[in-house]
Amino acid sequence: MIGRGNPPRIWTLPKGHVEARESRQQTALREVREETGCWAEIVTSLSDISYWFYVGATKHRKSVTFFLMRYLSGDPSNHDHEVDEARWFDMAQARKTLKYVNEKRLVDMASEFLVANPGAFEDAVALPDIGQRQLS
């Protein structure tokens, strides 16, 4: 997960803008790599979420497609300048720590997928102190 702001941090999932000639899948992989310092591969699509936010007095609508991903390599300390911290959380702690309800629901969806598909991470790289069913 990514944290922004001085403690207490606001913790969210990585996301960003689709660039020209880029698919939503390519965007998701790029944003995870940039914001967390980690390379991943997509396991499954989880959900599309749309929301409104303000920049100054201007209201903007954003739609984001979220994916469950498998860690391949990298280190969260190598995140880019857009975030203040990137860190691994186990799924229960991720759900408690995430700021937004819609993102908490994504953790639930990921958990449900993993229960229904116990072999989904069968060939995943074993990570020390991280485990295979964690979110970044």
Side-chain angles (χ1 to χ4, degrees), residues 4 6 11 13 27 29-30 43 50 55 58 74 80 89-90 94 96-97 99 101 105-106 121 127 129 131:
R4 289 189 172 108
N6 293 324
W11 290 95
L13 298 173
T27 299
L29 292 167
R30 177 182 52 77
V43 174
S50 295
V55 175
T58 307
D80 71 7
F89 289 82
D90 67 43
K96 291 178 189 174
T97 306
K99 167 89 173 155
V101 171
R105 288 186 191 129
L106 290 166
F121 284 75
L127 302 173
D129 300 322

Side-chain angles (χ1 to χ4, degrees), residues 7-130:
R9 298 229 189 275
I10 294 174
W11 290 95
T12 63
L13 298 173
K15 59 191 152 297
H17 297 286
V18 177
E19 294 182 356
R21 293 182 289 268
E22 190 176 58
S23 70
R24 288 179 177 256
Q25 292 86 350
Q26 290 167 324
T27 299
L29 292 167
R30 177 182 52 77
E31 289 292 341
V32 165
R33 185 179 65 251
E34 291 173 359
E35 294 185 353
T36 71
C38 296
W39 292 84
E41 67 181 354
I42 293 172
V43 174
T44 191
S45 178
L46 290 175
S47 183
D48 294 330
I49 295 176
S50 295
Y51 59 93
W52 294 92
F53 66 97
Y54 286 89
V55 175
T58 307
K59 190 174 182 180
H60 298 271
R61 183 172 190 260
K62 186 171 187 174
S63 293
V64 182
T65 301
F66 287 92
F67 299 92
L68 176 63
M69 296 184 188
R70 176 191 340 236
Y71 169 87
L72 296 176
S73 65
D75 185 333
S77 66
N78 292 328
H79 63 81
D80 71 7
H81 67 281
E82 293 180 14
V83 302
D84 295 309
E85 185 177 2
R87 188 186 328 159
W88 291 101
F89 289 82
D90 67 43
M91 292 181 79
Q93 189 61 44
R95 194 175 192 299
K96 291 178 189 174
T97 306
L98 283 165
K99 167 89 173 155
Y100 302 107
V101 171
N102 282 339
E103 291 189 352
K104 291 175 187 282
R105 288 186 191 129
L106 290 166
V107 173
D108 295 340
M109 293 170 138
S111 294
E112 290 167 9
F113 176 86
L114 293 170
V115 167
N117 300 276
F121 284 75
E122 204 167 80
D123 59 345
V125 176
L127 302 173
D129 300 322
I130 297 173

